[in-house]
Amino acid sequence: MTYCVGLLLDAGIVLLSDTRTNAGLDNIATYRKMFVFEEPGDRVITILTAGSLSVTQTTMARLREIADDPDSTPETSIMKAETMLKVADIVGAKLAEVRKDVGQKLSMLQGASASMIVAGQRKGGAMRMFLVYPEGNYIEATEDTPFLQIGEHKYGKPILDRVVNSATSLKDAQKAVLLSMDSTLRSNLSVGMPLDLAIIERDACQVTKRRRIEAGDEAFRAMSDAWSNALRDGFSQIEL
């Protein structure tokens, strides 16, 4: 019931999430799935969430509480961790802990599951991006695989496979993630507007562009229509 995507490029990081949480055909709600922790010039950490809302909200609340605690340590706070790898360790451990707690209370661990994309940069370090699994383990985006997805990812993956590589510009990357989301919106009703877009330029150590795209956004609709027309034109020109 969500779609989030992150691109790790030479020029920076591009992140996009939807906001729909659907508990049934007659119970649709909107919740933010993109969370930003930053100390401009020193570090920026962005977390995208998918899965059980109780797990993701509790995990984010605990991470925020620790980050705001002046007595926290580099071993427990993502805002004091010395590397992005350590940030991924902290997020993974907290996600696994919350998943276990919520699962025990619900007596159905199988249903209390969530995953996260953790991306950012610390001053003096490299930009890094990780996909954190419900169990707390993770994989990292690389030059060979410069994008990560969580949620309903299958509809938006083909365009990313075809057009995105580490040298893709931030402008083209924005277009790619938005068209990836557009394909998902058209094919799956459990993913919905509004959308949250964030861009982190290399070495800026802060979010350099942030935008919420509401339903009915003229620019997004124009892009969607142009893509549909381009696909139809391309299809008609192919000869068998």
Side-chain angles (χ1 to χ4, degrees), residues 13-180:
I13 296 170
V14 178
L15 303 152
L16 182 67
S17 69
D18 83 315
T19 56
R20 174 166 293 181
T21 298
N22 185 346
L25 293 177
D26 59 350
N27 183 14
I28 297 174
T30 296
Y31 287 93
R32 184 177 295 277
K33 301 170 187 174
M34 179 183 292
F35 301 87
V36 177
F37 299 76
E38 65 180 341
E39 186 175 331
D42 179 72
R43 73 182 62 207
V44 58
I45 299 164
T46 303
I47 301 176
L48 309 182
T49 66
S52 167
L53 194 61
S54 60
V55 173
T56 59
Q57 286 195 335
T58 302
T59 301
M60 295 311 305
R62 292 185 183 179
L63 289 171
R64 178 68 69 180
E65 182 178 48
I66 296 170
D68 292 341
D69 182 359
D71 295 325
S72 61
T73 71
E75 293 299 312
T76 61
S77 172
I78 62 175
M79 294 303 289
K80 294 181 180 179
E82 295 182 355
T83 65
M84 282 301 300
L85 183 64
K86 183 59 181 176
V87 170
D89 283 334
I90 293 172
V91 174
K94 191 60 62 180
L95 176 58
E97 171 191 297
V98 171
R99 176 176 176 262
K100 182 178 180 181
D101 290 347
V102 173
Q104 289 175 342
K105 292 175 182 178
L106 295 177
S107 297
M108 52 180 213
L109 184 58
Q110 190 68 26
S113 185
S115 57
M116 297 181 173
I117 292 176
V118 179
Q121 185 177 20
R122 180 181 177 276
K123 184 178 180 180
M127 297 183 303
R128 301 181 77 171
M129 184 166 66
F130 304 87
L131 192 163
V132 182
Y133 292 107
E135 297 78 13
N137 57 316
Y138 50 81
I139 60 172
E140 184 173 5
T142 66
E143 184 176 343
D144 293 328
T145 308
F147 66 86
L148 298 173
Q149 301 167 284
I150 52 176
E152 292 290 347
H153 62 273
K154 56 184 175 292
Y155 306 105
K157 189 173 184 292
I159 185 173
L160 301 178
D161 284 332
R162 289 179 180 273
V163 305
V164 172
N165 57 59
S166 60
T168 300
S169 69
L170 293 179
K171 181 179 179 180
D172 284 346
Q174 291 180 68
K175 191 186 332 181
V177 296
L178 289 170
L179 289 174
S180 176

